[in-house]
Amino acid sequence: MPARSQAPEPGADSQAQALHALVLRSLDDDKAVETVSIPLAGKSNIADYMVIASGRSTRQVASMADKLTERIKRELGRSVRVEGLPVADWVLIDAGDVIVHLFRPEVRSFYNLERMWAFEESAPAAAAH
């Protein structure tokens, strides 16, 4: 059986951009720290964007996650999957086109997802030993 190509549904790109803008606006409103957006379109099929941000405490991380999931549901009518609550050291929100990682700063620096997912235009230089 031949593989079926998955053509994007009409307006899918604008839906992803609207979701991405909502995520960034919500995190800014909630005083997220060091918000980074990594475009994944054409590089990975898991999502169009990955957004990484920190909160100053587990309480702030949990609050940002709760507010973001509520805003996505209210404004875009989407349900999202959330992992990492109630501990809230690292909360993953899978909104489909946008994956959001919310961290406490210490946990974020330990996992260093930005480095893992950063796509450089040129290959990184070999580390000198």
Side-chain angles (χ1 to χ4, degrees):
M1 179 183 263
R4 293 189 326 210
S5 63
Q6 293 183 342
E9 52 184 275
D13 191 41
S14 62
Q15 289 175 5
Q17 290 175 0
L19 175 60
H20 183 241
L22 173 61
V23 167
L24 294 177
R25 188 174 71 246
S26 179
L27 294 176
D28 186 56
D29 289 350
D30 292 337
K31 309 290 189 251
V33 179
E34 297 180 29
T35 301
V36 174
S37 178
I38 302 171
L40 299 177
K43 299 170 185 156
S44 174
N45 62 0
I46 64 168
D48 289 342
Y49 299 95
M50 179 180 296
V51 176
I52 303 169
S54 297
R56 299 185 194 286
S57 65
T58 55
R59 181 176 290 182
Q60 184 186 12
V61 170
S63 176
M64 289 189 306
D66 288 340
K67 288 178 181 177
L68 179 57
T69 57
E70 178 56 35
R71 287 174 179 146
I72 292 169
K73 185 170 185 144
R74 183 180 66 241
E75 294 184 28
L76 301 177
R78 288 187 179 199
S79 294
V80 298
R81 291 191 51 197
V82 179
E83 300 287 336
L85 289 175
V87 176
D89 283 334
W90 174 2
V91 177
L92 168 73
I93 301 170
D94 181 351
D97 298 321
V98 180
I99 304 291
V100 182
H101 295 274
L102 302 175
F103 289 100
R104 281 189 314 103
E106 304 81 19
V107 178
R108 181 177 180 169
S109 65
F110 178 80
Y111 287 102
N112 200 2
L113 290 184
E114 292 95 329
R115 183 170 178 216
M116 183 185 311
W117 281 96
F119 294 99
E120 299 295 331
E121 292 301 318
S122 59
H129 291 282

